[in-house]
Amino acid sequence: MMKPRSRTPRKPPLPPLHNGDHLTQVEFHRRYEAYPEDVKVELIGGIVYVASPLKRVHGTYHPEVSFVLTRYKVGTPGVEVADNMTAIFGEESEPQPDLMLRLLKECGGQSNYNEEEYLVGAPELIAEVAHSSRAIDMGKKRQDYLEAGAKEYVVLCVEEQELHWFHFPARRKLKPDRNGVWKSRIFPGLWIDGPALLARDSARLMAAVQQGLATPEHAAFARQLQEKLGR
């Protein structure tokens, strides 16, 4: 008589993630990897936040911010733009920022990728488009990103029609110039026309980016980065 085939015991399903769960980054990551890629769940300060489905407001403002950062990347060697990419910031922090702008490691950047290609460490600049998420973006996320070591944090509050630009090294908020143009202190030449962004005026946004890329400060920064890449 033939022996019955042994069956491999099934692993019990992982517990689902719920808003308000208190977890470590390791346990959060273990559960989160079981979710489809299009599901956005974040761990901020040890607390789980399950994102709501995105509506028109977020979906139309997000590309404008991405457009600015991507155009800056095109004109600046040694930088990388990431869109909705999971990052590991610490034992209680695994967010998925709307957008990130980072220096490559070989150019002096402070973040890198692990073997699974998750970003480890905070990028130099993080941007969030805040609508229904305004409270967390301006509160717990801001504190989480500050503690993780991010240098600048941009929050576009679409309902209030406000742009907030935090410069963490100085523990203060930046202000636009008299024309409403915001200028990064970490990435020379990164200029964002605030009124144009709020109006989703891509042509004016492009003009401000081009002006920033044409400054001597950006040219000097780009040369420094190119020299590091060439070593």
Side-chain angles (χ1 to χ4, degrees):
M1 296 179 63
M2 295 182 64
K3 294 182 179 179
R5 295 180 180 178
S6 60
R7 294 182 178 179
T8 303
R10 293 181 179 179
K11 295 182 179 179
L14 294 174
L17 295 167
H18 298 289
N19 269 318
D21 286 347
H22 289 254
L23 298 174
T24 64
Q25 181 275 322
V26 173
E27 176 60 18
F28 169 82
H29 190 82
R30 185 175 77 92
R31 298 189 198 180
Y32 182 52
E33 285 203 309
Y35 280 75
E37 289 189 359
D38 60 343
V39 176
K40 182 172 181 177
V41 189
E42 301 178 279
L43 184 69
I44 307 296
I47 301 175
V48 173
Y49 292 89
V50 181
S52 302
L54 299 181
K55 298 180 180 180
R56 174 180 178 269
V57 175
H58 189 287
T60 54
Y61 274 101
H62 182 106
E64 300 294 339
V65 183
S66 178
F67 167 75
V68 172
L69 299 184
T70 301
R71 182 62 191 89
Y72 182 81
K73 170 189 173 291
V74 171
T76 312
V79 301
E80 180 179 73
V81 175
D83 186 314
N84 272 297
M85 183 171 69
T86 295
I88 299 171
F89 288 172
E91 295 180 356
E92 295 186 333
S93 181
E94 187 171 321
Q96 190 176 329
D98 285 334
L99 290 155
M100 298 185 283
L101 183 66
R102 62 180 290 266
L103 286 171
L104 301 181
K105 194 69 175 181
E106 54 267 38
C107 291
Q110 59 186 21
S111 57
N112 207 355
Y113 293 98
N114 62 16
E115 293 180 356
E116 298 176 312
E117 295 194 336
Y118 287 106
L119 188 69
V120 178
E124 282 68 28
L125 185 145
I126 299 174
E128 298 278 9
V129 177
H131 187 219
S132 60
S133 62
R134 185 186 188 281
I136 180 176
D137 290 334
M138 292 291 289
K140 290 185 179 296
K141 273 193 177 181
R142 181 179 64 83
Q143 186 63 31
D144 215 42
Y145 295 163
L146 168 65
E147 294 176 356
K151 303 299 183 183
E152 291 186 339
Y153 179 39
V154 179
V155 186
L156 174 61
C157 299
V158 294
E159 187 171 348
E160 295 78 11
Q161 289 288 283
E162 297 173 347
L163 182 66
H164 302 270
W165 198 312
F166 298 92
H167 182 66
F168 287 151
R171 301 295 181 99
R172 66 183 181 90
K173 290 173 64 175
L174 300 182
K175 295 181 180 180
D177 65 16
R178 62 183 180 180
N179 296 316
V181 176
W182 300 75
K183 301 175 181 179
S184 171
R185 300 292 186 270
I186 300 299
F187 289 99
L190 176 58
W191 291 11
I192 297 181
D193 185 322
L197 177 58
L198 293 172
R200 286 171 288 187
D201 188 333
S202 301
R204 285 171 55 199
L205 278 174
M206 169 65 85
V209 175
Q210 292 295 107
Q211 289 176 355
L213 292 173
T215 60
E217 293 79 12
H218 178 265
F221 182 55
R223 283 195 300 270
Q224 293 173 4
L225 295 177
Q226 190 61 61
E227 290 172 0
K228 292 178 180 179
L229 288 171
R231 289 177 183 173

